Amino acid sequence: MAGAGGGNDIQWCFSQVKGAVDDDVAEADIISTVEFNHSGELLATGDKGGRVVIFQQEQENKIQSHSRGEYNVYSTFQSHEPEFDYLKSLEIEEKINKIRWLPQKNAAQFLLSTNDKTIKLWKISERDKRPEGYNLKEEDGRYRDPTTVTTLRVPVFRPMDLMVEASPRRIFANAHTYHINSISINSDYETYLSADDLRINLWHLEITDRSFNIVDIKPANMEELTEVITAAEFHPHSCNTFVYSSSKGTIRLCDMRASALCDRHSKLFEEPEDPSNRSFFSEIISSISDVKFSHSGRYMMTRDYLSVKIWDLNMENRPVETYQVHEYLRSKLCSLYENDCIFDKFECCWNGSDSVVMTGSYNNFFRMFDRNTKRDITLEASRENNKPRTVLKPRKVCASGKRKKDEISVDSLDFNKKILHTAWHPKENIIAVATTNNLYIFQDKVN
Amino acid sequence: INSEIHDFCHLKESKEMEDKVTSPEKAEEAKLKARYPHLGQKPGGSDFLRKRLQKGQKYFDSGDYNMAKAKMKNKQLPAAAPDKTEVTGDHIPTPQDLPQRKPSLVASKLAG
């Protein structure tokens, strides 16, 4: 079972890295989302330039049994383009904020991709045959002179080189005044939600001209605005349940059976704070940047600036587990506020068996926490470690004072090298880690 | 070094450190207030949120622009630094300050 050995018992090895080597990063190449599909065979990335790249895991090579299949480019397409809202004098970025895969129903694959304003349903299908032997057309498409046709033949399908085509099947637009931060497909596989800073809408995958508003936290007077929605997700099994997190560090669980407009939560998850500890930074660092249900549906994980918290859905008054991601940053909050890093939105993810959680940090470091053994590990996504099947060396940050050999001091951390997006294969110990413009794939050592 | 023991030592060290310094967060807050004495009374409140909601507003209202130009006939309009790519904030953008519309799109380097 994936992850049964725990975060530290697994030996992580470099497998692949995608993207340009040069340090001069074009803005369009900044990776903005990473997501495995339900089988783990496909891995999608979205970037600031509005492009989606899908990688496919090659079938396991029986001869080379020392590694799992590699991920190679399967399809790439332009999902969103820059737009201009003339009424509000606003430029709408083409950056892909989120990609979510639909479960596979037939030969084609479907995914939802969204920018700040518009969600699109893309169909990715394979074509490996084409019809040949038309009566009225030459093979190159030119029309034949009908008078030269003396016999009739039936066109047949002949094999051709595999072509993967992406086509937009639905465009869900004009439902969000504010910037979309999340999309989540319901377990009914018919509906999905989209959340912006102040509102959450419910859509049917087949219907693009209507959407139901299910949460609205916009105050009548915008001067009274105190919190915004930061993330939202449907429960993996209960199609009536979803959660949304806020900039104040709270999570609300809502039940769509209770009322059409879920402004009143069914549960409110909030950890009490010691008022004497409160500072200027308290609210900013408590803002939740990501919320993810466990595969089991029993727990949910939240990521705030310095920590990862695991909540039991049955207990609202505090998380059951808290893991410090980079506590040494607490004494750097002033400069992190000045360079805006304090507003960075880190994501988090579960492994397939819900035993290990992972999240990113700075200096291209990422962290894993084993919930059973309570051990944690810090690894680095770097081209220096790119010999396949070489076990990654754990990293250590020295918070203060005596720096041991191989440790890195807090002041040497590169805050421009942030790992905001990570994904874990749903079944195996394969992880995808996005640095600014590169995608790293790591696997556990297979003997 | 056994990495398990190393991990444990690190965790123990940082807990001890936390006990010694009562609140590194409050120390950082004092530093910030020293540098920016006029920083808003309500931390993390409406100012932040409104700035967040307005993300992307790069262009201007031509009415505002013309009125500002008329008022500031004799004053120098605050202009953006020549290397600034984003035009936001307090000053009225001028047509020269506005970023060019995006050029035609190329393939992602991840697919290369």
Side-chain angles (χ1 to χ4, degrees):
Chain A
M1 198 158 76
N8 272 18
D9 295 339
I10 300 174
Q11 296 197 292
W12 290 101
C13 304
F14 170 87
S15 175
Q16 298 169 269
V17 62
K18 311 277 183 191
V21 185
D22 53 71
D23 282 333
D24 194 17
V25 182
E27 254 200 61
D29 292 325
I30 295 171
I31 298 170
S32 50
T33 185
V34 181
E35 188 84 353
F36 280 100
N37 76 337
H38 293 260
S39 66
E41 187 205 353
L42 299 177
L43 175 61
T45 61
D47 64 24
K48 212 167 178 213
R51 301 161 303 190
V52 170
V53 182
I54 301 173
F55 302 93
Q56 183 187 42
Q57 189 179 28
E58 65 184 29
Q59 293 305 302
E60 272 180 55
N61 192 329
K62 295 294 179 231
I63 303 161
Q64 281 191 303
S65 58
H66 51 245
S67 69
R68 294 192 191 78
E70 277 199 345
Y71 283 83
N72 300 315
V73 180
Y74 178 66
S75 171
T76 177
F77 54 93
Q78 188 76 38
S79 172
H80 287 71
E81 310 227 350
E83 284 176 59
F84 192 73
D85 180 338
Y86 292 96
L87 189 63
K88 294 182 191 156
S89 236
L90 257 187
E91 190 172 68
I92 300 166
E93 262 195 304
E94 67 275 35
K95 173 167 75 86
I96 309 297
N97 293 333
K98 286 280 166 14
I99 289 172
R100 290 289 182 263
W101 289 93
L102 265 71
Q104 191 171 12
K105 282 191 291 188
N106 53 39
Q109 300 278 358
F110 288 85
L111 61 79
L112 284 177
S113 68
T114 187
N115 69 349
D116 283 339
K117 298 288 182 181
T118 305
I119 307 128
K120 294 188 183 181
L121 176 70
W122 287 89
K123 177 181 180 182
I124 297 111
S125 46
E126 294 184 358
R127 191 199 289 264
D128 61 358
K129 297 184 269 293
R130 66 154 187 251
E132 282 176 24
Y134 284 104
N135 291 289
L136 296 175
K137 272 200 287 191
E138 304 285 1
E139 293 307 328
D140 60 10
R142 280 180 304 150
Y143 282 96
R144 291 171 70 186
D145 179 355
T147 58
T148 64
V149 177
T150 53
T151 58
L152 287 178
R153 56 187 176 171
V154 178
V156 290
F157 276 98
R158 296 231 185 271
M160 61 179 254
D161 286 340
L162 179 68
M163 212 167 72
V164 182
E165 302 168 318
S167 58
R169 303 303 284 179
R170 305 269 187 277
I171 297 184
F172 305 92
N174 303 319
H176 286 278
T177 308
Y178 302 97
H179 302 295
I180 297 172
N181 52 57
S182 313
I183 46 175
S184 177
I185 297 167
N186 203 345
S187 52
D188 65 9
Y189 300 150
E190 284 189 350
T191 57
Y192 74 93
L193 64 77
S194 57
D196 67 32
D197 291 313
L198 297 178
R199 298 189 177 106
I200 302 178
N201 294 329
L202 180 72
W203 302 83
H204 190 287
L205 285 164
E206 300 288 322
I207 299 166
T208 57
D209 63 354
R210 256 170 301 158
S211 128
F212 287 101
N213 177 243
I214 52 176
V215 173
D216 187 339
I217 65 166
K218 185 178 179 196
N221 181 359
M222 283 298 269
E223 299 285 314
E224 290 163 28
L225 181 69
T226 55
E227 70 184 320
V228 294
I229 297 168
T230 52
E233 196 180 51
F234 264 120
H235 189 276
H237 312 306
S238 303
C239 58
N240 50 281
T241 304
F242 66 92
V243 293
Y244 68 92
S245 58
S246 85
S247 52
K248 276 186 154 175
T250 63
I251 309 102
R252 287 173 177 80
L253 183 142
C254 300
D255 186 335
M256 295 196 293
R257 297 169 300 186
S259 66
L261 188 59
C262 298
D263 278 0
R264 269 191 306 176
H265 54 262
S266 299
K267 293 195 184 189
L268 174 66
F269 297 84
E270 189 173 13
E271 183 165 27
E273 195 199 3
D274 182 356
S276 64
N277 279 344
R278 199 162 173 78
S279 76
F280 175 85
F281 304 110
S282 299
E283 193 175 302
I284 303 171
I285 62 172
S286 72
S287 177
I288 292 170
S289 48
D290 195 15
V291 65
K292 292 262 170 53
F293 277 105
S294 63
H295 294 90
S296 65
R298 164 87 189 266
Y299 300 97
M300 65 179 173
M301 165 167 55
T302 57
R303 175 68 156 98
D304 51 71
Y305 191 60
L306 298 179
S307 67
V308 159
K309 293 177 180 169
I310 311 284
W311 304 77
D312 184 327
L313 293 191
N314 300 314
M315 189 161 76
E316 297 167 63
N317 61 357
R318 60 180 168 80
V320 289
E321 294 154 40
T322 300
Y323 301 103
Q324 300 302 335
V325 182
H326 37 217
E327 179 66 15
Y328 47 77
L329 295 183
R330 202 179 284 272
S331 51
K332 301 285 169 197
L333 291 176
C334 182
S335 35
L336 292 168
Y337 175 85
E338 288 175 303
N339 63 18
D340 272 355
C341 283
I342 205 175
F343 299 106
D344 284 337
K345 295 181 180 62
F346 292 95
E347 291 174 8
C348 53
C349 61
W350 299 83
N351 73 340
S353 60
D354 297 336
S355 60
V356 185
V357 296
M358 169 168 67
T359 190
S361 178
Y362 294 105
N363 210 66
N364 283 347
F365 287 173
F366 57 100
R367 305 260 287 134
M368 288 183 192
F369 302 93
D370 188 317
R371 300 177 62 213
N372 299 324
T373 66
K374 300 301 178 198
R375 291 203 298 248
D376 61 86
I377 192 168
T378 305
L379 297 171
E380 183 179 1
S382 152
R383 282 178 185 269
E384 285 169 21
N385 308 325
N386 64 358
K387 271 185 69 183
R389 298 191 302 283
T390 315
V391 178
L392 294 179
K393 189 173 140 189
R395 298 285 178 222
K396 214 105 275 160
V397 177
C398 168
S400 71
K402 316 158 208 120
R403 186 179 74 90
K404 298 198 183 78
K405 177 179 175 297
D406 287 348
E407 283 188 358
I408 296 138
S409 83
V410 184
D411 298 310
S412 319
L413 295 175
D414 188 340
F415 290 97
N416 290 318
K417 292 189 176 166
K418 10 190 148 200
I419 290 177
L420 303 174
H421 312 286
T422 60
W424 204 309
H425 189 289
K427 301 185 177 78
E428 294 170 30
N429 282 330
I430 302 173
I431 54 175
V433 174
T435 59
T436 306
N437 65 330
N438 284 177
L439 182 71
Y440 286 79
I441 298 171
F442 301 103
Q443 296 183 1
D444 68 349
K445 198 179 177 85
V446 180
N447 292 312
Chain B
I1 295 169
N2 184 325
S3 67
E4 282 173 44
I5 297 171
H6 200 201
D7 284 356
F8 177 74
C9 282
H10 174 68
L11 285 168
K12 197 162 174 288
E13 262 173 59
S14 66
K15 173 78 175 64
E16 283 169 358
M17 204 187 67
E18 213 176 295
D19 289 339
K20 279 184 195 149
V21 182
T22 44
S23 178
E25 214 175 295
K26 290 251 169 82
E28 289 294 297
E29 180 181 26
K31 221 191 281 182
L32 191 72
K33 291 224 161 114
R35 286 185 208 175
Y36 309 98
H38 301 299
L39 204 53
Q41 295 306 97
K42 195 173 189 288
S46 308
D47 284 343
F48 285 128
L49 299 180
R50 243 179 279 130
K51 190 174 163 191
R52 182 190 173 131
L53 295 181
Q54 276 169 18
K55 164 196 134 186
Q57 189 124 31
K58 289 181 184 164
Y59 297 90
F60 57 93
D61 179 331
S62 60
D64 286 346
Y65 176 68
N66 285 312
M67 287 205 31
K69 256 175 81 170
K71 275 188 201 155
M72 294 194 191
K73 239 192 313 187
N74 301 318
K75 267 202 270 181
Q76 184 85 72
L77 267 177
D83 57 346
K84 212 170 170 182
T85 48
E86 258 190 57
V87 175
T88 55
D90 309 316
H91 76 275
I92 308 289
T94 60
Q96 304 89 279
D97 295 340
L98 297 172
Q100 298 294 325
R101 294 304 304 280
K102 307 264 165 88
S104 60
L105 308 148
V106 287
S108 164
K109 293 196 181 120
L110 292 184

